[in-house]
Amino acid sequence: MTTAPGSWHLDSALVRRYVDAATDAVTAASVEAHLLRCAECRRSIAAGTVDSASVARRSAIWTDVVDRLDAPRVGLLERVLRRIGVRDGDARLLAATPSLQLSWLASLLLALGFAVAAARGRDTAGALFLLVAPLLPVAGVAAAYGADVDPAYELSMAAPYRATRLLLLRSVSVLVASLGLAGAAALALPASGWSQAAWLLPALGLSVTTLALSTRLSPALAAAGVSLTWVSVVVRLLQLDRTADIAGASTQLSFLVLIVAATAVLAVRRDQFDTRSAA
């Protein structure tokens, strides 16, 4: 420190050591106490007494801190999507899909597990599974998009994507995940052969129909109507002891026609999603 009559000031060497955190705690406290009452030393520091290397180092440290705080955390699903070749922007939007979250998939697995267990304990093997399995992707599609179900909805709207593309991207992803899990669960059914896959076309048909109806209704309302219709049909077949009809050629062909018709409606009315989002 430099001493003057009746006063003292920090010399440049001490200032550099203090800024570089090279002083002991006692000296640092003394310097800080002096700076509080000495305007000349504060001006000296502000005028650039500290060497540029120290400033650059601290600037780099601060930049690194800001980058770490601002950088979004990449979750497991997003990392997996990127690993299999999905573009970064698409992976980020897909990872934010509510019905692709771990809690949702765990609930889906639980529902499938109960359905398989119940089906194995009944004479009408697979009836309950046929009731539940097609409804799960329908629920997933309904929860894939919309202000009332998606906590990242506003961010999704700010992304450079048309609403139609975002909806279809998420819906296809939910369908793949749901159908994959349901297909694996179907292998545990006591039935064999084609009857194990009898749920597949109904699941696709109900899901695409939900999307088509969503061009007029909210996804939740569309899914509710489709689900109630399916439950009514299966319950009626159970009462008549005709659940095997679901695996029949005529029923499967009917669902194939439904898929084609719903896809056509969706293609014609796809712009309704963009209009609704802009409203």
Side-chain angles (χ1 to χ4, degrees):
M1 298 181 185
T2 301
T3 305
S7 65
W8 60 273
H9 298 289
L10 306 178
D11 58 38
S12 58
L14 179 57
V15 169
R16 282 194 295 273
R17 292 201 307 275
Y18 171 74
V19 173
D20 290 337
T23 59
D24 59 76
V26 174
T27 303
S30 177
V31 170
E32 290 164 358
H34 175 74
L35 289 173
L36 289 175
R37 62 177 183 271
C38 182
E40 183 176 342
C41 287
R42 291 198 298 271
R43 285 194 299 270
S44 177
I45 291 177
T49 307
V50 181
D51 61 275
S52 58
S54 296
V55 173
R57 185 170 67 86
R58 278 158 179 73
S59 177
I61 292 173
W62 176 249
T63 300
D64 185 59
V65 170
V66 171
D67 287 344
R68 288 178 179 272
L69 290 175
D70 289 345
R73 297 181 62 184
V74 179
L76 175 61
L77 176 59
E78 187 175 345
R79 290 198 299 271
V80 171
L81 290 171
R82 290 181 178 181
R83 184 66 61 87
I84 63 177
V86 179
R87 293 186 301 178
D88 290 354
D90 292 344
R92 177 60 47 82
L93 289 174
L94 286 176
T97 306
S99 43
L100 285 178
Q101 300 299 312
L102 183 60
S103 58
W104 179 278
L105 295 177
S107 300
L108 188 152
L109 277 173
L110 187 62
L112 287 171
F114 278 122
V116 170
R120 293 179 67 88
R122 295 176 60 93
D123 294 334
T124 54
L128 290 177
F129 186 84
L130 284 174
L131 174 65
V132 172
L135 296 181
L136 297 178
V138 170
V141 167
Y145 180 82
D148 51 345
V149 295
D150 185 4
Y153 180 76
E154 297 299 333
L155 291 177
S156 301
M157 289 298 94
Y161 290 85
R162 292 186 61 183
T164 304
R165 183 177 185 275
L166 177 59
L167 172 64
L168 293 179
L169 188 65
R170 285 185 165 184
S171 297
V172 169
S173 301
V174 169
L175 272 173
V176 170
S178 301
L179 296 179
L181 291 175
L187 298 177
L189 292 174
S192 60
W194 168 244
S195 60
Q196 283 186 318
W199 58 273
L200 183 56
L201 283 179
L204 288 172
L206 298 180
S207 298
V208 179
T209 300
T210 298
L211 286 173
L213 291 175
S214 296
T215 60
R216 284 189 175 276
L217 309 171
S218 69
L221 187 58
V226 168
S227 299
L228 285 174
T229 302
W230 175 248
V231 170
S232 300
V233 169
V234 175
V235 169
R236 181 57 179 165
L237 289 176
L238 278 171
Q239 292 173 343
L240 298 174
D241 196 21
R242 294 177 54 186
T243 54
D245 288 357
I246 296 177
S250 59
T251 303
Q252 294 292 313
L253 181 61
S254 298
F255 275 106
L256 186 59
V257 172
L258 178 64
I259 292 171
V260 173
T263 301
V265 171
L266 185 59
V268 171
R269 296 185 53 81
R270 63 184 183 277
D271 291 339
Q272 293 298 316
F273 294 113
D274 298 300
T275 303
R276 186 182 304 171
S277 299

